[in-house]
Amino acid sequence: MPDQPVKLFIPGPVQVSPATFSAMTAPMIGHRGREFQDLYAEIQPGLQELFGTSQPIYLSTSSAWGVMEAAIRNLVRSGVLNCCCGAFSDKWYDVARRCGKKAEALRSDWGQPIDAGELDARLSSGQFDTVTVVHNETSTGVLNPLDDIAKVVKSHPGVLLVVDTVSSFSAVPTPCEAWDAAVVLTGSQKALALPPGLALFTVSPAALERAASIADRGYYFDFLEFDANHAKNMTPSTPCIALIHGLRHKLREIRSEGLENRYSRHAQLNGIAHAWVQRQGFEHFAPEGYRSPTLTCVSNNRGIDVARLLDLLRREHGFAIDGGYGKLKGRTFRISNMGDETEASQAELLQALDDCLTQL
């Protein structure tokens, strides 16, 4: 299918619907006028429901990494403990060190979740005032036990919890206030099924108070600047207005579908992919009970040529999946079920994979 667009079943960016692209073509408006203020205000309730908070939801024209670095620059005083169990959580540790902060890593093997007991022991040293954790580690397909992790952090007064929900947001509940999280952040290009370029995040009152005491926060990602501009239904810098129009459209779609139905749909599609893994004689890279709800990380225990599988799938069927991230390239492959996918689209992909496997 050389002239056909490839449909994405990778862990992000995911497929964007024609209706979403159409919403993004709304006429351009000024970002310092009433029209933008009305747009900003309109999307707040829907975002607050998704985040599980009554706090403001800030909009950043950046990838989620901008806010992940911002959390380090705005919140870390004495030291940060980065929970590391895959490529993206490992990178957060590297980012913290590049920001000149005292950082240590709490490591689990790739494919294993963060151990809340080990986290508790490390925090008991009193060396850390901030903890970072990736909820859904897309490189390994691991969903970390956030309820347990949040309970541990809450038991250590003065320690702030920062959570990356980039690939879990809107596919499973992300109860910010129940987690007592200082910062919860996400990006537009995963389960929200928007193009990349927009980060969304919330900051607790305690985190804003901490930020106010820290110098060298910079400007572009200064939490206090976001909060001051939020009071005017604005962003500190020029926002990606077209993406925000797309976000408004997605929030309307989510409201129409219903949150519980949306969560159930993702779980159903995830289960269909898991059944395919078993039927084809593959294994999961992540352990049972800790598997991502939005993608399936398949262990290549059959020793197939993953690169050839991806090539056949793209050339003969017009689909793209991922061939494993970083040091897992070729040892795993990943199938996304996040965003706007349906039982029919998931079945079509899996049938195509069946066909390609017969040619290996």
Side-chain angles (χ1 to χ4, degrees):
M1 293 187 173
D3 297 323
Q4 297 295 320
V6 174
K7 180 169 182 183
L8 302 178
F9 286 93
I10 59 176
V14 302
Q15 200 71 13
V16 178
S17 72
T20 299
F21 278 128
S22 178
M24 292 175 60
T25 65
M28 189 50 58
I29 56 177
H31 67 287
R32 292 296 183 231
R34 177 56 61 86
E35 288 176 300
F36 181 80
Q37 290 175 308
D38 290 345
L39 173 62
Y40 184 101
E42 181 183 345
I43 63 177
Q44 284 294 313
L47 289 173
Q48 288 170 320
E49 182 180 15
L50 284 172
F51 274 92
T53 184
S54 58
Q55 295 300 313
I57 309 301
Y58 307 118
L59 310 179
S60 172
T61 297
S62 68
S63 75
W65 271 112
V67 183
M68 293 166 78
E69 179 172 321
I72 301 297
R73 294 176 62 87
N74 278 262
L75 302 182
V76 179
R77 282 193 304 219
S78 58
V80 55
L81 184 62
N82 302 110
C83 297
C84 298
C85 62
F88 299 103
S89 46
D90 283 1
K91 185 176 179 180
W92 214 344
Y93 168 60
D94 179 52
V95 167
R97 296 176 66 193
R98 292 192 193 195
C99 287
K101 302 294 185 178
K102 178 185 175 184
E104 292 186 18
L106 171 64
R107 295 195 181 278
S108 293
D109 290 339
W110 279 33
Q112 296 298 317
I114 296 298
D115 186 292
E118 292 182 11
L119 175 62
D120 189 35
R122 292 288 290 276
L123 291 180
S124 295
S125 70
Q127 300 177 63
F128 309 103
D129 58 27
T130 308
V131 170
T132 69
V133 61
V134 173
H135 187 202
N136 192 58
E137 177 59 77
T138 50
S139 65
T140 61
V142 168
L143 183 74
N144 277 307
L146 239 299
D147 290 347
D148 295 340
I149 290 169
K151 189 179 299 183
V152 165
V153 175
K154 191 173 183 178
S155 71
H156 293 270
V159 180
L160 299 181
L161 175 64
V162 183
V163 184
D164 161 354
T165 67
V166 171
S167 58
S168 57
F169 185 78
S170 87
V172 294
T174 50
C176 301
E177 291 186 1
W179 288 337
D180 198 26
V183 176
V184 175
L185 62 102
T186 192
S188 54
Q189 77 279 14
K190 305 277 186 172
L192 281 174
L194 288 162
L198 177 64
L200 315 162
F201 66 106
T202 186
V203 182
S204 72
L208 287 172
E209 183 178 354
R210 170 80 64 81
S213 70
I214 293 180
D216 303 324
R217 296 188 305 273
Y219 168 73
Y220 194 85
F221 292 113
D222 182 356
F223 287 168
L224 300 186
E225 290 285 351
F226 278 96
D227 192 56
N229 279 274
H230 172 83
K232 301 178 288 186
N233 289 322
M234 290 183 179
T235 57
S237 304
T238 306
C240 46
I241 295 171
L243 271 171
I244 298 170
H245 278 299
L247 176 60
R248 177 173 62 179
H249 168 77
K250 294 306 300 183
L251 290 172
R252 289 171 177 172
E253 284 192 341
I254 291 170
R255 184 170 63 247
S256 177
E257 180 179 18
L259 266 183
E260 292 306 319
N261 291 334
R262 184 176 183 83
Y263 300 151
S264 296
R265 175 170 59 82
H266 278 86
Q268 178 192 21
L269 299 181
N270 196 239
I272 292 171
H274 286 194
W276 179 87
V277 170
Q278 183 175 13
R279 176 167 59 81
Q280 280 289 353
F282 289 109
E283 296 174 356
H284 290 274
F285 190 73
E288 188 173 359
Y290 299 96
R291 291 173 186 157
S292 165
T294 58
L295 66 105
T296 301
C297 188
V298 185
S299 184
N300 186 18
N301 56 291
R302 287 178 48 180
I304 66 167
D305 185 338
V306 172
R308 176 158 168 73
L309 173 66
L310 269 60
D311 180 62
L312 285 170
L313 189 65
R314 177 181 287 262
R315 284 193 295 106
E316 298 191 2
H317 297 278
F319 296 147
I321 62 171
D322 179 83
Y325 194 91
K327 65 184 182 182
L328 299 180
K329 189 176 182 65
R331 294 174 52 197
T332 63
F333 57 93
R334 300 180 296 166
I335 303 169
S336 167
N337 61 265
M338 67 182 85
D340 297 332
E341 299 309 326
T342 64
E343 187 173 349
S345 67
Q346 195 83 355
E348 189 178 10
L349 169 69
L350 298 178
Q351 288 168 9
L353 281 167
D354 286 341
D355 177 68
C356 293
L357 285 171
T358 65
Q359 301 180 55
L360 297 182

